[in-house]
Amino acid sequence: MKEQNQHCRKNSYKKVGYDLKLLIIDQIQNAQISINHAANKYQVSRASIYYWLKKYSTLEQKKQGMSKKDEIKKLKEKIEELEFV
């Protein structure tokens, strides 16, 4: 038996623009496509997709958190206003 020296070939992936990232994330979150299928279809690594999903979800949470803080602030102001009257 001969030993073959085969090097592991690293897959090369293309750079993905912001709009395409959002499209991929949207398709995955709406259950239109799986992460594995998206990785194959768009020639990006699954690790990248997981990273985008994590980053996108924290971004959305921050947006919602800010709007909740604003809403609480408005409600407190309204309460103070009503208590004053």
Side-chain angles (χ1 to χ4, degrees):
M1 210 183 247
K2 270 193 340 188
E3 234 181 273
Q4 293 180 346
N5 285 339
Q6 290 184 342
H7 299 290
C8 292
R9 195 174 132 232
K10 185 177 178 182
N11 290 338
S12 60
Y13 298 106
K14 62 182 179 180
K15 283 230 175 220
V16 179
Y18 183 73
D19 292 336
L20 183 56
K21 287 178 188 178
L22 290 180
L23 174 71
I24 293 169
I25 290 168
D26 186 53
Q27 288 179 345
I28 291 169
Q29 288 182 334
N30 291 324
Q32 296 172 337
I33 193 172
S34 71
I35 292 174
N36 286 337
H37 186 70
N40 289 332
K41 181 178 180 180
Y42 297 106
Q43 293 297 301
V44 294
S45 69
R46 288 182 313 204
S48 294
I49 294 173
Y50 282 114
Y51 175 76
W52 301 336
L53 286 167
K54 182 179 176 183
K55 192 172 179 179
Y56 180 77
S57 68
T58 56
L59 190 77
E60 285 299 308
Q61 287 172 353
K62 283 181 183 177
K63 284 181 185 176
Q64 288 178 352
M66 292 300 282
S67 64
K68 285 182 182 178
K69 286 180 185 176
D70 291 340
E71 186 177 347
I72 291 170
K73 184 179 176 183
K74 286 179 185 177
L75 289 172
K76 284 182 179 180
E77 289 173 354
K78 187 69 174 174
I79 291 170
E80 287 176 8
E81 181 185 312
L82 290 172
E83 285 176 344
F84 184 73
V85 172

Coordinates of all heavy atoms in Angstrom, one line a residue:
M1 N 0.8 -1.2 0.0 CA 0.0 0.0 0.0 C 0.9 1.3 0.0 O 1.8 1.4 0.8 CB -0.9 0.0 1.3 CG -2.2 0.6 1.0 SD -3.1 0.7 2.6 CE -4.4 -0.4 2.1
K2 N 0.6 2.1 -0.9 CA 1.4 3.4 -1.0 C 0.7 4.5 -0.2 O -0.5 4.6 -0.2 CB 1.5 3.8 -2.5 CG 2.6 3.3 -3.2 CD 3.0 3.9 -4.5 CE 2.0 4.7 -5.3 NZ 2.4 5.0 -6.6
E3 N 1.6 5.2 0.4 CA 1.0 6.4 1.2 C 1.0 7.6 0.2 O 1.9 7.9 -0.5 CB 2.0 6.7 2.3 CG 1.3 6.8 3.6 CD 2.3 7.1 4.7 OE1 2.9 6.2 5.3 OE2 2.4 8.3 5.0
Q4 N -0.1 8.2 0.2 CA -0.3 9.4 -0.7 C -0.3 10.6 0.1 O -0.9 10.7 1.2 CB -1.6 9.3 -1.5 CG -1.6 8.2 -2.5 CD -3.0 8.2 -3.2 OE1 -3.9 8.8 -2.8 NE2 -3.0 7.4 -4.3
N5 N 0.5 11.6 -0.3 CA 0.5 12.9 0.3 C -0.5 13.8 -0.3 O -0.3 14.4 -1.3 CB 1.9 13.5 0.2 CG 2.9 12.9 1.1 OD1 2.5 12.3 2.1 ND2 4.2 13.1 0.8
Q6 N -1.7 13.8 0.3 CA -2.7 14.7 -0.2 C -2.9 15.8 0.8 O -3.2 15.5 2.0 CB -4.0 13.9 -0.4 CG -4.0 12.9 -1.5 CD -5.4 12.3 -1.7 OE1 -6.2 12.3 -0.8 NE2 -5.6 11.7 -2.9
H7 N -2.8 17.0 0.4 CA -3.0 18.1 1.3 C -4.5 18.4 1.3 O -5.2 18.3 0.3 CB -2.2 19.3 0.8 CG -0.7 19.1 0.7 ND1 0.0 19.0 1.9 CD2 0.1 18.9 -0.3 CE1 1.3 18.7 1.5 NE2 1.4 18.7 0.2
C8 N -4.9 18.8 2.5 CA -6.3 19.3 2.6 C -6.4 20.6 1.8 O -5.6 21.5 2.1 CB -6.7 19.5 4.0 SG -6.8 18.0 5.0
R9 N -7.3 20.7 1.0 CA -7.5 21.9 0.2 C -8.5 22.8 0.9 O -9.7 22.3 1.2 CB -8.0 21.5 -1.2 CG -7.9 22.6 -2.2 CD -8.3 22.2 -3.6 NE -9.2 23.2 -4.1 CZ -10.4 23.0 -4.6 NH1 -10.8 21.7 -4.7 NH2 -11.2 23.9 -5.0
K10 N -8.2 24.0 1.1 CA -9.1 24.9 1.8 C -10.0 25.5 0.7 O -9.6 25.9 -0.4 CB -8.2 26.0 2.4 CG -9.1 27.0 3.2 CD -8.2 28.1 3.8 CE -9.1 29.1 4.6 NZ -8.3 30.1 5.2
N11 N -11.3 25.5 1.0 CA -12.2 26.0 0.1 C -12.1 27.5 0.0 O -11.8 28.2 1.0 CB -13.7 25.7 0.6 CG -14.0 24.3 0.5 OD1 -13.4 23.6 -0.3 ND2 -15.0 23.8 1.2
S12 N -12.2 28.0 -1.2 CA -12.1 29.5 -1.3 C -13.5 30.0 -1.5 O -14.3 29.5 -2.3 CB -11.2 29.9 -2.5 OG -11.8 29.4 -3.7
Y13 N -13.8 31.1 -0.8 CA -15.2 31.7 -0.9 C -15.0 33.1 -1.4 O -14.0 33.7 -1.2 CB -15.8 31.6 0.5 CG -16.0 30.3 1.1 CD1 -15.3 29.7 2.1 CD2 -17.1 29.4 0.5 CE1 -15.5 28.5 2.6 CE2 -17.3 28.2 1.0 CZ -16.5 27.7 2.0 OH -16.7 26.4 2.5
K14 N -16.1 33.6 -1.9 CA -16.1 34.9 -2.4 C -16.6 35.9 -1.4 O -17.2 35.5 -0.4 CB -17.0 35.0 -3.7 CG -18.4 34.7 -3.4 CD -19.3 34.8 -4.7 CE -20.7 34.4 -4.4 NZ -21.6 34.5 -5.5
K15 N -16.2 37.2 -1.5 CA -16.7 38.2 -0.6 C -18.2 38.4 -0.8 O -18.6 38.4 -2.0 CB -16.0 39.5 -0.9 CG -14.6 39.5 -0.3 CD -14.4 40.8 0.5 CE -13.1 40.8 1.2 NZ -13.1 41.3 2.5
V16 N -18.9 38.6 0.2 CA -20.3 38.8 0.1 C -20.7 40.2 0.6 O -20.3 40.6 1.6 CB -21.1 37.7 1.0 CG1 -22.5 37.9 1.0 CG2 -20.7 36.3 0.6
G17 N -21.5 40.9 -0.2 CA -21.9 42.2 0.1 C -23.0 42.2 1.2 O -23.6 41.2 1.5
Y18 N -23.2 43.4 1.8 CA -24.1 43.6 2.9 C -25.6 43.2 2.4 O -26.3 42.5 3.2 CB -24.1 45.0 3.3 CG -25.0 45.3 4.5 CD1 -24.7 44.9 5.8 CD2 -26.2 46.1 4.3 CE1 -25.5 45.1 6.9 CE2 -27.0 46.3 5.4 CZ -26.6 45.9 6.7 OH -27.4 46.1 7.7
D19 N -26.0 43.6 1.2 CA -27.3 43.3 0.8 C -27.6 41.8 0.6 O -28.6 41.3 1.0 CB -27.6 44.0 -0.6 CG -27.7 45.5 -0.4 OD1 -28.0 46.0 0.7 OD2 -27.5 46.2 -1.4
L20 N -26.5 41.1 0.1 CA -26.7 39.7 0.0 C -26.7 39.0 1.3 O -27.5 38.0 1.5 CB -25.5 39.1 -0.9 CG -25.6 37.6 -1.2 CD1 -26.9 37.2 -1.9 CD2 -24.4 37.2 -2.1
K21 N -25.9 39.5 2.3 CA -26.0 38.9 3.6 C -27.4 39.0 4.2 O -27.9 38.1 4.8 CB -25.0 39.7 4.5 CG -23.5 39.4 4.3 CD -22.7 40.2 5.2 CE -21.2 40.0 4.8 NZ -20.3 40.9 5.7
L22 N -28.0 40.2 4.1 CA -29.3 40.4 4.6 C -30.3 39.5 3.9 O -31.2 39.0 4.5 CB -29.7 41.9 4.4 CG -29.0 42.9 5.3 CD1 -29.5 44.3 5.1 CD2 -29.2 42.5 6.8
L23 N -30.2 39.3 2.6 CA -31.0 38.4 1.8 C -30.9 37.0 2.4 O -31.9 36.3 2.6 CB -30.7 38.5 0.3 CG -31.5 37.5 -0.5 CD1 -32.9 37.9 -0.7 CD2 -30.8 37.3 -1.9
I24 N -29.7 36.5 2.6 CA -29.5 35.2 3.0 C -30.1 35.0 4.4 O -30.8 34.0 4.7 CB -28.0 34.8 3.0 CG1 -27.4 34.8 1.6 CG2 -27.7 33.5 3.8 CD1 -25.9 34.7 1.5
I25 N -29.8 36.0 5.3 CA -30.3 35.9 6.7 C -31.9 35.9 6.7 O -32.5 35.1 7.4 CB -29.8 37.1 7.5 CG1 -28.3 37.0 7.8 CG2 -30.6 37.3 8.8 CD1 -27.7 38.2 8.3
D26 N -32.5 36.7 5.8 CA -33.9 36.8 5.7 C -34.5 35.5 5.3 O -35.5 35.0 5.8 CB -34.3 37.9 4.8 CG -35.8 38.2 4.7 OD1 -36.4 38.4 5.8 OD2 -36.4 38.2 3.6
Q27 N -33.9 34.9 4.3 CA -34.4 33.6 3.8 C -34.3 32.5 4.8 O -35.2 31.7 4.9 CB -33.6 33.2 2.5 CG -33.9 34.0 1.3 CD -33.1 33.6 0.1 OE1 -32.1 32.9 0.2 NE2 -33.5 34.0 -1.1
I28 N -33.2 32.5 5.6 CA -33.0 31.5 6.6 C -34.0 31.7 7.8 O -34.7 30.8 8.2 CB -31.6 31.5 7.2 CG1 -30.6 31.0 6.1 CG2 -31.4 30.7 8.4 CD1 -29.1 31.2 6.4
Q29 N -34.2 32.9 8.2 CA -35.1 33.2 9.3 C -36.6 33.0 8.9 O -37.4 32.7 9.8 CB -34.9 34.6 9.8 CG -33.6 34.8 10.6 CD -33.4 36.2 11.1 OE1 -33.9 37.2 10.6 NE2 -32.6 36.3 12.2
N30 N -36.9 33.1 7.6 CA -38.3 32.9 7.2 C -38.4 31.4 6.7 O -39.4 31.1 6.1 CB -38.6 33.8 6.1 CG -38.8 35.2 6.6 OD1 -39.2 35.5 7.7 ND2 -38.4 36.2 5.7
A31 N -37.5 30.6 7.0 CA -37.5 29.1 6.7 C -37.7 28.8 5.2 O -38.3 27.8 4.9 CB -38.6 28.4 7.6
Q32 N -37.2 29.7 4.4 CA -37.2 29.5 3.0 C -36.1 28.6 2.5 O -36.1 28.0 1.4 CB -37.2 30.8 2.2 CG -38.4 31.7 2.5 CD -38.3 33.1 1.9 OE1 -37.2 33.6 1.6 NE2 -39.4 33.8 1.7
I33 N -35.0 28.6 3.3 CA -33.8 28.0 2.9 C -33.0 27.5 4.2 O -33.1 28.2 5.2 CB -32.9 28.9 2.0 CG1 -31.8 28.2 1.3 CG2 -32.4 30.1 2.8 CD1 -31.1 29.0 0.3
S34 N -32.3 26.4 4.1 CA -31.5 26.0 5.3 C -30.1 26.6 5.2 O -29.7 27.1 4.2 CB -31.4 24.5 5.3 OG -30.5 24.1 4.2
I35 N -29.4 26.6 6.3 CA -28.1 27.2 6.4 C -27.2 26.4 5.4 O -26.4 27.0 4.7 CB -27.5 27.2 7.8 CG1 -28.3 28.2 8.6 CG2 -26.1 27.5 7.8 CD1 -28.0 28.2 10.1
N36 N -27.3 25.1 5.4 CA -26.4 24.3 4.5 C -26.7 24.6 3.1 O -25.8 24.7 2.2 CB -26.7 22.8 4.8 CG -26.0 22.3 6.0 OD1 -25.1 22.9 6.6 ND2 -26.5 21.2 6.6
H37 N -28.0 24.7 2.7 CA -28.4 25.0 1.3 C -27.9 26.4 0.9 O -27.4 26.6 -0.2 CB -29.9 24.9 1.1 CG -30.3 25.0 -0.3 ND1 -30.1 24.1 -1.2 CD2 -31.0 26.0 -0.9 CE1 -30.5 24.5 -2.4 NE2 -31.1 25.7 -2.2
A38 N -28.0 27.3 1.8 CA -27.6 28.7 1.6 C -26.0 28.7 1.4 O -25.5 29.4 0.5 CB -27.9 29.6 2.7
A39 N -25.3 28.0 2.2 CA -23.9 27.9 2.1 C -23.5 27.4 0.7 O -22.6 28.0 0.0 CB -23.3 27.1 3.2
N40 N -24.1 26.4 0.2 CA -23.8 25.8 -1.1 C -24.3 26.7 -2.2 O -23.5 27.0 -3.2 CB -24.5 24.4 -1.3 CG -23.8 23.4 -0.4 OD1 -22.7 23.5 -0.1 ND2 -24.6 22.4 0.0
K41 N -25.5 27.3 -2.1 CA -26.0 28.1 -3.2 C -25.2 29.4 -3.4 O -25.0 29.8 -4.5 CB -27.5 28.4 -2.8 CG -28.2 29.3 -3.9 CD -29.6 29.5 -3.5 CE -30.3 30.4 -4.5 NZ -31.7 30.6 -4.2
Y42 N -24.8 30.0 -2.3 CA -24.2 31.3 -2.4 C -22.6 31.2 -2.3 O -22.0 32.2 -2.2 CB -24.7 32.3 -1.4 CG -26.2 32.6 -1.6 CD1 -27.2 32.1 -0.8 CD2 -26.6 33.4 -2.6 CE1 -28.5 32.3 -1.0 CE2 -27.9 33.7 -2.9 CZ -28.9 33.2 -2.1 OH -30.2 33.4 -2.3
Q43 N -22.1 30.0 -2.1 CA -20.7 29.8 -2.0 C -20.1 30.5 -0.9 O -19.1 31.2 -1.0 CB -20.0 30.1 -3.3 CG -20.3 29.1 -4.5 CD -19.9 27.7 -4.2 OE1 -18.7 27.5 -4.0 NE2 -20.9 26.8 -4.2
V44 N -20.7 30.4 0.3 CA -20.1 31.0 1.5 C -20.1 29.9 2.6 O -20.8 28.9 2.5 CB -21.0 32.2 2.1 CG1 -20.9 33.4 1.1 CG2 -22.4 31.8 2.4
S45 N -19.2 30.1 3.6 CA -19.1 29.1 4.6 C -20.2 29.1 5.6 O -20.8 30.2 5.8 CB -17.8 29.3 5.4 OG -17.8 30.4 6.2
R46 N -20.5 28.0 6.2 CA -21.6 27.9 7.2 C -21.2 28.8 8.4 O -22.1 29.4 9.0 CB -21.9 26.5 7.6 CG -22.6 25.7 6.5 CD -22.9 24.3 7.0 NE -21.7 23.8 7.6 CZ -21.3 22.5 7.7 NH1 -22.2 21.6 7.3 NH2 -20.2 22.2 8.3
A47 N -19.9 28.8 8.7 CA -19.5 29.5 9.9 C -19.8 31.0 9.7 O -20.2 31.7 10.6 CB -18.0 29.3 10.1
S48 N -19.6 31.5 8.4 CA -19.9 32.9 8.1 C -21.4 33.2 8.3 O -21.8 34.2 8.9 CB -19.5 33.3 6.7 OG -18.1 33.2 6.6
I49 N -22.2 32.3 7.9 CA -23.7 32.5 8.0 C -24.1 32.5 9.5 O -24.9 33.3 9.9 CB -24.4 31.4 7.2 CG1 -24.2 31.6 5.7 CG2 -25.9 31.5 7.5 CD1 -24.7 30.5 4.8
Y50 N -23.5 31.6 10.2 CA -23.8 31.5 11.7 C -23.4 32.9 12.3 O -24.1 33.4 13.2 CB -23.1 30.4 12.4 CG -23.8 29.1 12.2 CD1 -23.2 28.0 11.5 CD2 -25.1 28.8 12.7 CE1 -23.9 26.8 11.3 CE2 -25.8 27.6 12.5 CZ -25.1 26.6 11.8 OH -25.8 25.4 11.6
Y51 N -22.2 33.4 11.9 CA -21.7 34.6 12.4 C -22.7 35.8 12.1 O -23.0 36.6 12.9 CB -20.3 34.9 11.9 CG -19.8 36.2 12.3 CD1 -19.3 36.5 13.6 CD2 -19.7 37.3 11.4 CE1 -18.8 37.7 13.9 CE2 -19.2 38.5 11.7 CZ -18.7 38.7 13.0 OH -18.3 40.0 13.3
W52 N -23.1 35.8 10.8 CA -24.1 36.9 10.4 C -25.4 36.8 11.2 O -25.9 37.8 11.6 CB -24.4 36.8 8.9 CG -23.2 36.9 8.0 CD1 -22.0 37.4 8.3 CD2 -23.1 36.3 6.7 NE1 -21.2 37.3 7.2 CE2 -21.8 36.6 6.2 CE3 -24.0 35.6 5.9 CZ2 -21.4 36.3 4.9 CZ3 -23.6 35.3 4.6 CH2 -22.3 35.6 4.1
L53 N -25.9 35.6 11.4 CA -27.1 35.4 12.1 C -27.0 35.9 13.6 O -27.8 36.6 14.1 CB -27.5 33.9 12.1 CG -28.1 33.4 10.8 CD1 -28.2 31.9 10.9 CD2 -29.5 34.0 10.6
K54 N -25.8 35.6 14.2 CA -25.6 36.0 15.5 C -25.5 37.6 15.6 O -26.1 38.2 16.4 CB -24.3 35.4 16.1 CG -24.0 35.8 17.5 CD -22.8 35.1 18.0 CE -22.4 35.5 19.4 NZ -21.2 35.0 19.9
K55 N -24.7 38.1 14.7 CA -24.5 39.6 14.6 C -25.8 40.3 14.4 O -26.1 41.3 15.0 CB -23.5 39.9 13.5 CG -23.0 41.3 13.5 CD -21.8 41.4 12.6 CE -21.3 42.8 12.5 NZ -20.2 42.9 11.6
Y56 N -26.6 39.8 13.4 CA -27.9 40.4 13.0 C -28.9 40.3 14.2 O -29.6 41.3 14.5 CB -28.5 39.7 11.8 CG -29.8 40.2 11.3 CD1 -29.8 41.4 10.6 CD2 -31.0 39.6 11.6 CE1 -31.0 42.0 10.2 CE2 -32.2 40.1 11.2 CZ -32.2 41.3 10.5 OH -33.4 41.8 10.0
S57 N -28.9 39.2 14.9 CA -29.9 39.1 16.0 C -29.5 40.0 17.2 O -30.4 40.6 17.8 CB -30.0 37.7 16.5 OG -28.8 37.3 17.2
T58 N -28.2 40.2 17.5 CA -27.9 41.2 18.5 C -28.2 42.6 18.1 O -28.6 43.4 18.9 CB -26.4 41.0 18.9 OG1 -25.6 41.2 17.8 CG2 -26.1 39.7 19.6
L59 N -28.0 42.9 16.8 CA -28.3 44.2 16.3 C -29.8 44.5 16.4 O -30.2 45.6 16.8 CB -27.9 44.3 14.8 CG -27.9 45.6 14.1 CD1 -26.7 46.4 14.6 CD2 -27.9 45.5 12.6
E60 N -30.6 43.5 16.1 CA -32.1 43.6 16.2 C -32.5 43.8 17.7 O -33.3 44.6 18.0 CB -32.8 42.4 15.6 CG -32.9 42.4 14.1 CD -33.6 43.6 13.5 OE1 -34.7 43.9 13.9 OE2 -33.0 44.3 12.7
Q61 N -31.8 43.1 18.6 CA -32.1 43.2 20.0 C -31.8 44.6 20.5 O -32.5 45.1 21.3 CB -31.4 42.1 20.8 CG -31.9 40.7 20.6 CD -31.0 39.7 21.3 OE1 -29.9 40.0 21.7 NE2 -31.5 38.4 21.3
K62 N -30.7 45.1 20.0 CA -30.3 46.5 20.5 C -31.3 47.5 20.0 O -31.7 48.4 20.7 CB -28.9 46.8 19.9 CG -27.8 46.2 20.6 CD -26.4 46.6 20.1 CE -25.3 45.9 20.8 NZ -24.0 46.2 20.2
K63 N -31.8 47.3 18.7 CA -32.8 48.2 18.2 C -34.1 48.2 19.1 O -34.6 49.2 19.4 CB -33.1 47.9 16.8 CG -32.1 48.3 15.8 CD -32.5 48.0 14.4 CE -31.5 48.3 13.3 NZ -31.9 47.9 12.0
Q64 N -34.5 47.0 19.4 CA -35.7 46.8 20.2 C -35.5 47.3 21.6 O -36.4 47.9 22.2 CB -36.1 45.3 20.2 CG -36.7 44.8 18.9 CD -37.1 43.4 18.9 OE1 -36.8 42.7 19.8 NE2 -37.7 42.9 17.8
G65 N -34.3 47.1 22.1 CA -34.0 47.5 23.5 C -34.1 49.0 23.6 O -34.6 49.6 24.5
M66 N -33.6 49.7 22.5 CA -33.6 51.2 22.5 C -35.0 51.7 22.4 O -35.4 52.6 23.1 CB -32.8 51.7 21.4 CG -31.3 51.5 21.5 SD -30.6 52.2 23.0 CE -30.5 53.9 22.4
S67 N -35.8 51.0 21.6 CA -37.2 51.5 21.4 C -38.0 51.2 22.7 O -38.9 52.0 23.0 CB -37.9 50.8 20.2 OG -38.0 49.4 20.4
K68 N -37.7 50.1 23.4 CA -38.4 49.9 24.7 C -38.0 50.9 25.7 O -38.9 51.4 26.4 CB -38.0 48.5 25.2 CG -38.7 47.4 24.4 CD -38.4 46.0 24.9 CE -39.1 44.9 24.1 NZ -38.7 43.6 24.6
K69 N -36.7 51.3 25.7 CA -36.3 52.3 26.7 C -37.0 53.6 26.4 O -37.5 54.3 27.3 CB -34.8 52.5 26.6 CG -34.0 51.4 27.2 CD -32.5 51.7 27.1 CE -31.7 50.5 27.7 NZ -30.3 50.7 27.5
D70 N -37.1 54.0 25.1 CA -37.8 55.2 24.7 C -39.3 55.1 25.1 O -39.8 56.1 25.5 CB -37.7 55.4 23.2 CG -36.3 55.8 22.7 OD1 -35.5 56.2 23.6 OD2 -36.0 55.6 21.5
E71 N -39.9 54.0 24.9 CA -41.3 53.8 25.2 C -41.5 54.0 26.7 O -42.4 54.6 27.1 CB -41.8 52.4 24.7 CG -43.3 52.2 24.9 CD -43.7 50.9 24.4 OE1 -42.9 50.2 23.7 OE2 -44.9 50.5 24.7
I72 N -40.6 53.4 27.5 CA -40.7 53.5 29.0 C -40.6 54.9 29.4 O -41.3 55.4 30.3 CB -39.7 52.6 29.7 CG1 -40.1 51.1 29.5 CG2 -39.6 52.9 31.1 CD1 -39.0 50.1 29.9
K73 N -39.6 55.6 28.8 CA -39.4 57.0 29.1 C -40.6 57.9 28.8 O -41.1 58.7 29.6 CB -38.2 57.5 28.3 CG -37.8 59.0 28.7 CD -36.6 59.4 27.9 CE -36.3 60.9 28.1 NZ -35.2 61.3 27.3
K74 N -41.2 57.6 27.6 CA -42.4 58.4 27.3 C -43.6 58.1 28.2 O -44.3 59.0 28.6 CB -42.9 58.0 25.8 CG -42.0 58.6 24.8 CD -42.5 58.2 23.4 CE -41.5 58.7 22.3 NZ -41.9 58.3 21.0
L75 N -43.7 56.8 28.6 CA -44.8 56.4 29.5 C -44.6 57.1 30.9 O -45.6 57.6 31.5 CB -44.9 54.9 29.7 CG -45.4 54.2 28.5 CD1 -45.3 52.7 28.7 CD2 -46.9 54.5 28.2
K76 N -43.4 57.1 31.4 CA -43.1 57.8 32.7 C -43.4 59.3 32.6 O -44.0 59.8 33.5 CB -41.6 57.6 33.1 CG -41.3 56.2 33.6 CD -39.9 56.1 34.0 CE -39.6 54.7 34.5 NZ -38.2 54.5 34.9
E77 N -43.0 59.9 31.5 CA -43.4 61.3 31.3 C -44.9 61.5 31.3 O -45.4 62.5 31.9 CB -42.7 61.8 30.0 CG -41.2 62.0 30.0 CD -40.6 62.3 28.7 OE1 -41.3 62.4 27.7 OE2 -39.4 62.6 28.7
K78 N -45.6 60.6 30.7 CA -47.1 60.7 30.6 C -47.7 60.6 32.0 O -48.6 61.3 32.3 CB -47.6 59.7 29.6 CG -49.1 59.8 29.4 CD -49.4 61.0 28.5 CE -50.8 61.1 28.1 NZ -51.2 62.3 27.4
I79 N -47.1 59.7 32.8 CA -47.6 59.5 34.1 C -47.4 60.7 35.0 O -48.3 61.2 35.7 CB -46.9 58.2 34.8 CG1 -47.4 56.9 34.1 CG2 -47.2 58.2 36.3 CD1 -46.7 55.7 34.5
E80 N -46.2 61.3 34.9 CA -45.9 62.5 35.6 C -46.8 63.6 35.2 O -47.3 64.4 36.0 CB -44.4 62.9 35.4 CG -43.4 62.0 36.1 CD -42.0 62.4 35.8 OE1 -41.8 63.4 35.1 OE2 -41.1 61.7 36.2
E81 N -47.1 63.7 33.9 CA -48.0 64.7 33.4 C -49.4 64.6 33.9 O -50.0 65.5 34.4 CB -48.0 64.7 31.9 CG -48.8 65.7 31.2 CD -48.9 65.5 29.7 OE1 -47.8 65.3 29.1 OE2 -50.0 65.5 29.1
L82 N -49.9 63.3 34.0 CA -51.2 63.1 34.5 C -51.3 63.3 36.0 O -52.3 63.7 36.5 CB -51.6 61.6 34.1 CG -51.9 61.4 32.6 CD1 -52.1 59.9 32.3 CD2 -53.1 62.2 32.1
E83 N -50.2 62.9 36.7 CA -50.2 63.1 38.1 C -50.2 64.6 38.5 O -50.8 65.0 39.4 CB -49.0 62.5 38.8 CG -49.1 60.9 38.9 CD -47.9 60.3 39.4 OE1 -46.8 60.9 39.5 OE2 -48.0 59.1 39.8
F84 N -49.6 65.4 37.6 CA -49.5 66.9 37.8 C -50.9 67.5 37.6 O -51.3 68.4 38.4 CB -48.5 67.5 36.9 CG -48.3 68.9 37.1 CD1 -47.6 69.4 38.3 CD2 -48.8 69.9 36.2 CE1 -47.4 70.8 38.5 CE2 -48.6 71.2 36.4 CZ -47.9 71.7 37.6
V85 N -51.6 67.0 36.7 CA -53.0 67.5 36.4 C -53.9 67.1 37.4 O -54.4 67.6 38.3 CB -53.5 67.0 35.0 CG1 -54.9 67.4 34.8 CG2 -52.6 67.5 33.9

